[in-house]
Amino acid sequence: MKIYTPNIGKIKKTIKETEDTKTFQIELENKILREHFYFDPGEFVLITVFGVGEAPFSISSSPFNKNYFEITARKTGNVTNALFNLKEGDKIGVRGPHGKGYPMDEFEHTNIILISGGCGLAPLKSLIEYVIQKRGCYNKLTLLYGDKTPQNIIYEKEISKWKKIKNFDVHLTVDKGDKKWKGNVGVVTKLINKVKNFENSVVCLCGPPVMMKYSIPELKKKGIEDEDIFVSLERKMQCGLGICCHCNINDVYVCKDGPVFRYLDIKDLSELGW
Amino acid sequence: MYYVLKKKDLPKFVKLLNKNFEVIAPVKKNGSLIFDKVSSADEIVKNYINTDYPPKNFFLPDGETIFEYKKSNNIKIKHPGKPKKKVIYGIRPCDVNALLKLDKILGGEFYYRIKRENTKIIAINCTKAGENCFCTSLGDDQLKEGFDLLLTDVGKEFYIKIGSEWGKKLMKHKIFKRTENSFKKTFFECKRFFLAKDLDKKIERNFNTKIWEKHFKKCFSCTACSVVCPMCYCFDLVQVPKSENEGKVKKFWSSCLSKEFSRVAGDFIFRDKRVNRVRQFLSHKFLYGKKHYDEFLCVGCGRCISHCPVGIDYEKFLEEIK
Ligand SMILES: Cc1cc2nc3c(=O)[nH]c(=O)nc-3n(C[C@H](O)[C@H](O)[C@H](O)COP(=O)(O)OP(=O)(O)OC[C@H]3O[C@@H](n4cnc5c(N)ncnc54)[C@H](O)[C@@H]3O)c2cc1C
Ligand code: SF4
Ligand code: SF4
Ligand code: FES
């Protein structure tokens, strides 16, 4: 199979989230592929900006959405800068969905606690929308989201909608507030104390390694087991299919075995780095 | 049952092959023994233990085009045409075994498979081991499959074993004589030797020890060992624009021994320490390879040892590790 050749997608819409972050609504040109674009929240796509390069992005939209999917990209280098400059109607390359996402079936009838920092909210947004659409199957949903400043907060429109949903608690925090900010200030780990009930709960973490490093001991204190903690990992990627070897951490391949891992399965990997 | 080819008939054999194939064989170029295209038998180097470089580039060319793109209102993608039919003459069993192992990993890749399908393999058994060879420890000196023809040099003649229908048809030519005779096998064993059993477990046991520092602190990440390794296949996909609206995506060899290999945005490097990269190189070959493909991703050709500018000797390490 021509596994490194992307399919063509069209940017249907761009949404400016912050100064350096945009959400892209992407529609695959091929109707059959579009209709068979199945994924679990947490999976990723490889996006090609022709003439520049390819990079992995988590899918941030709901899997129930069949006409298009979304990614949210933060400017950090060549590909992300070029992507940022693309306009509605421009064509890009799409490979995937790839990887393993969150085990949504296993989460049924549990409380789900989401902890995210920065762009780590992207895959969790997919999970949130999934849960909202299948509300009856899941118990309480709690989102703890931290970012650098109020200006860095993404998905503002969605967040204000989420806040109104029953049985869905949303807590935000910023490292550094400003005059207008009336919410929490401090690292996201501090928000863990806002959660009242840790029974029958799973926790999904997505964000920088330090966030995971400091959150997990807190969660363990609350009685959460390693097998009920899910982390999303990041490594350099090229093929996205477990072949090129750029993304391995000891014997696991982030692209194929992850990016979402059960903490129990990866906590002892010596190359984890945190 | 074997077929016999008189060595003086080798030019006729090469001519016969050249009718329908590009013939690739060991030749001397710029001081190195490599595989390259030949048009007649006199270009072929006949007396060699193994080539300095494996024929890896005929299956995984460094910088091969994966596709071309053209932007207008739409994006048009074009794939390269079918590769020319080739025959590799004179490849050693270790290098054929390397291809068989690569098949398990890359068999799903169109780009690799189409080259494999279009390349015939005429292997020649070794009669002598080189000073850095250790294929016998890994069992990669023997070929049970993976060849169209397998030649054994018995002096003035080659004894030929058939490995495919194509090979069988070729033997109908009058330069080959069928024989029920057998020949005296020259038994050889590489001087270097270790027990391959449980190498994976040994590496796993030593993963977090100082042994890597002890053996590999001299490594300066030149990546030569992975360039010459017949089994190193890791790669980057790179955009090579020709103009604003067209260009190619190419696949380049990439080595886990280089710092760049694990670099992500923000200049974060996951394997920053050199010895940790050597550990990745060897763990991939002997631990992850075993786990994921049930193979050691090394065939004992010894080229990594011959090419290391600072004298790092992976085989000595494999002998010592417990
Ligand atoms: C599974 C996964 C999901 C991701 N999801 C998102 C997301 O939803 N939103 C977002 O903004 N970012 C996400 N990232 C990070 C994003 O891929 C990088 O920001 C991006 O690759 C940077 O590329 P660049 O060309 O702009 O940077 P450069 O520094 O110019 O990078 C050059 C090349 O290095 C590689 N590379 C660099 N950084 C990374 C990285 N972190 N991960 C993998 N390869 C990298 C890419 O191949 C890239 O083309 C994700 C990464 C992974 C692995
Ligand atoms: S690791 Fe060294 S000995 Fe083993 S196949 Fe590669 S080059 Fe040959
Ligand atoms: S050839 Fe030697 S110095 Fe170069 S990367 Fe390999 S082990 Fe290190
Ligand atoms: S990205 Fe190639 S192996 Fe994971």
Side-chain angles (χ1 to χ4, degrees), chain B residues 71-124:
Chain B
K71 283 195 276 188
S72 53
N73 280 339
N74 254 317
I75 288 170
K76 280 221 164 61
I77 287 188
K78 208 178 101 197
H79 291 96
K82 234 180 158 179
K84 279 206 181 117
K85 280 198 205 164
K86 292 184 179 67
V87 49
I88 295 195
Y89 171 89
I91 179 172
R92 294 300 190 191
C94 62
D95 287 337
V96 178
N97 278 318
L99 290 171
L100 291 173
K101 293 183 190 192
L102 285 178
D103 289 348
K104 284 198 179 181
I105 304 165
L106 304 170
E109 254 195 22
F110 165 83
Y111 329 91
Y112 170 81
R113 207 180 54 224
I114 191 160
K115 295 184 191 69
R116 279 289 273 148
E117 283 168 358
N118 279 285
T119 309
K120 305 291 180 202
I121 301 284
I122 301 181
I124 306 183

Side-chain angles (χ1 to χ4, degrees), chain A:
Chain A
M1 285 220 297
K2 294 174 180 128
I3 48 184
Y4 308 131
T5 306
N7 298 305
I8 305 301
K10 188 172 87 182
I11 299 179
K12 269 185 68 168
K13 200 173 156 191
T14 66
I15 303 152
K16 193 164 173 190
E17 303 283 356
T18 72
E19 268 315 299
D20 65 354
T21 308
K22 263 187 195 171
T23 294
F24 298 85
Q25 245 177 42
I26 298 159
E27 180 186 71
L28 286 171
E29 281 196 334
N30 186 307
K31 188 162 174 275
I32 297 166
L33 291 173
R34 196 157 70 224
E35 282 164 5
H36 290 80
F37 196 80
Y38 301 118
F39 64 94
D40 290 324
E43 290 183 27
F44 67 95
V45 282
L46 291 146
I47 299 291
T48 296
V49 181
F50 289 97
V52 185
E54 194 180 38
F57 298 96
S58 304
I59 306 171
S60 59
S61 52
S62 160
F64 292 118
N65 207 331
K66 278 283 156 255
N67 297 316
Y68 63 85
F69 69 92
E70 288 177 353
I71 58 158
T72 300
R74 180 163 283 176
K75 275 205 279 192
T76 47
N78 293 331
V79 180
T80 41
N81 281 330
L83 187 61
F84 213 75
N85 293 331
L86 295 184
K87 294 179 297 297
E88 287 167 14
D90 283 346
K91 305 282 167 69
I92 53 167
V94 179
R95 287 200 292 135
H98 287 321
K100 285 206 180 69
Y102 297 98
M104 295 309 295
D105 292 346
E106 189 187 317
F107 291 177
E108 287 189 8
H109 310 296
T110 63
N111 301 310
I112 307 174
I113 300 164
L114 310 171
I115 306 182
S116 84
C119 245
L121 187 53
L124 297 180
K125 176 171 164 277
S126 172
L127 185 153
I128 291 168
E129 291 183 352
Y130 182 97
V131 169
I132 291 173
Q133 267 152 313
K134 287 185 73 171
R135 198 64 195 92
C137 301
Y138 299 91
N139 297 3
K140 192 181 187 80
L141 191 58
T142 307
L143 169 66
L144 314 179
Y145 165 41
D147 221 315
K148 278 188 235 110
T149 69
Q151 284 73 42
N152 290 106
I153 287 180
I154 57 172
Y155 304 143
E156 278 189 304
K157 235 170 69 197
E158 285 83 357
I159 289 173
S160 55
K161 264 193 242 157
W162 296 343
K163 280 182 172 162
K164 291 181 197 132
I165 293 175
K166 224 177 75 192
N167 229 359
F168 187 1
D169 283 352
V170 180
H171 301 283
L172 305 190
T173 184
V174 292
D175 295 340
K176 208 168 157 263
D178 59 14
K179 275 181 218 138
K180 271 175 29 204
W181 181 255
K182 292 195 191 67
N184 304 297
V185 177
V187 290
V188 70
T189 336
K190 284 214 237 158
L191 294 181
I192 293 174
N193 284 324
K194 302 241 174 211
V195 184
K196 293 285 168 299
N197 179 11
F198 285 91
E199 264 160 50
N200 184 29
S201 298
V202 293
V203 183
C204 304
L205 297 133
C206 190
V210 284
M211 188 196 90
M212 322 243 219
K213 186 180 161 173
Y214 290 108
S215 299
I216 290 171
E218 293 299 315
L219 294 168
K220 308 250 338 201
K221 274 189 231 159
K222 306 282 185 190
I224 302 273
E225 302 285 342
D226 291 341
E227 62 181 37
D228 294 323
I229 297 175
F230 295 83
V231 295
S232 182
L233 300 180
E234 232 188 82
R235 280 296 183 278
K236 163 101 165 188
M237 286 187 186
Q238 289 288 303
C239 71
L241 292 160
I243 304 172
C244 75
C245 301
H246 275 281
C247 71
N248 72 301
I249 305 175
N250 299 76
D251 63 338
V252 308
Y253 286 80
V254 174
C255 68
K256 192 178 70 167
D257 305 321
V260 175
F261 292 92
R262 200 182 289 272
Y263 181 57
L264 180 72
D265 296 337
I266 54 121
K267 66 175 185 145
D268 295 326
L269 298 180
S270 61
E271 288 190 314
L272 189 59
W274 45 272

Side-chain angles (χ1 to χ4, degrees), chain B residues 54-294:
Chain B
K56 163 166 87 166
N57 52 320
F58 294 98
F59 305 95
L60 297 167
D62 190 20
E64 76 174 303
T65 298
I66 296 295
F67 64 86
E68 293 175 41
Y69 64 86
K70 247 197 189 125
K71 283 195 276 188
S72 53
N73 280 339
N74 254 317
I75 288 170
K76 280 221 164 61
I77 287 188
K78 208 178 101 197
H79 291 96
K82 234 180 158 179
K84 279 206 181 117
K85 280 198 205 164
K86 292 184 179 67
V87 49
I88 295 195
Y89 171 89
I91 179 172
R92 294 300 190 191
C94 62
D95 287 337
V96 178
N97 278 318
L99 290 171
L100 291 173
K101 293 183 190 192
L102 285 178
D103 289 348
K104 284 198 179 181
I105 304 165
L106 304 170
E109 254 195 22
F110 165 83
Y111 329 91
Y112 170 81
R113 207 180 54 224
I114 191 160
K115 295 184 191 69
R116 279 289 273 148
E117 283 168 358
N118 279 285
T119 309
K120 305 291 180 202
I121 301 284
I122 301 181
I124 306 183
N125 272 321
C126 292
T127 40
K128 222 162 103 188
E131 55 172 336
N132 294 329
C133 295
F134 57 94
C135 59
T136 47
S137 297
L138 295 165
D140 287 318
D141 55 321
Q142 299 293 331
L143 267 193
K144 290 180 211 79
E145 52 172 341
F147 56 87
D148 291 285
L149 296 172
L150 175 60
L151 279 54
T152 305
D153 186 337
V154 295
K156 289 201 166 85
E157 307 162 317
F158 286 114
Y159 268 60
I160 303 175
K161 204 165 152 179
I162 291 170
S164 72
E165 280 305 311
W166 176 82
K168 196 167 158 187
K169 259 198 216 138
L170 201 68
M171 291 301 100
K172 295 212 171 96
H173 194 275
K174 60 178 190 291
I175 54 172
F176 306 101
K177 294 277 170 328
R178 196 183 140 137
T179 176
E180 296 300 330
N181 291 349
S182 176
F183 59 91
K184 222 177 108 207
K185 283 201 174 75
T186 34
F187 178 79
F188 80 94
E189 180 127 38
C190 306
K191 267 197 231 106
R192 291 166 172 268
F193 181 77
F194 57 86
L195 279 173
K197 194 174 172 294
D198 293 338
L199 259 183
D200 47 337
K201 295 192 186 101
K202 290 178 188 169
I203 300 240
E204 194 160 34
R205 241 188 337 256
N206 283 281
F207 200 88
N208 294 310
T209 65
K210 293 259 179 303
I211 193 170
W212 311 94
E213 193 68 48
K214 181 182 150 212
H215 283 261
F216 305 120
K217 62 171 182 286
K218 272 196 301 183
C219 170
F220 68 109
S221 311
C222 72
T223 76
C225 50
S226 58
V227 170
V228 299
C229 177
M231 289 243 54
C232 275
Y233 59 87
C234 298
F235 60 88
D236 285 332
L237 297 169
V238 182
Q239 300 255 343
V240 186
K242 200 167 109 192
S243 67
E244 201 185 328
N245 291 318
E246 60 185 301
K248 293 177 177 175
V249 168
K250 295 187 173 195
K251 189 170 172 234
F252 286 94
W253 296 349
S254 180
S255 170
C256 60
L257 290 151
S258 78
K259 210 167 167 169
E260 271 305 294
F261 194 79
S262 68
R263 191 193 74 87
V264 296
D267 267 334
F268 195 78
I269 293 156
F270 290 97
R271 278 186 212 97
D272 206 12
K273 268 176 70 185
R274 288 207 168 96
V275 287
N276 289 355
R277 301 201 287 270
V278 177
R279 181 176 68 180
Q280 160 68 16
F281 178 92
L282 289 168
S283 301
H284 180 214
K285 291 190 181 303
F286 294 99
L287 176 57
Y288 315 147
K290 188 77 188 165
K291 243 182 201 160
H292 297 308
Y293 304 106
D294 197 24

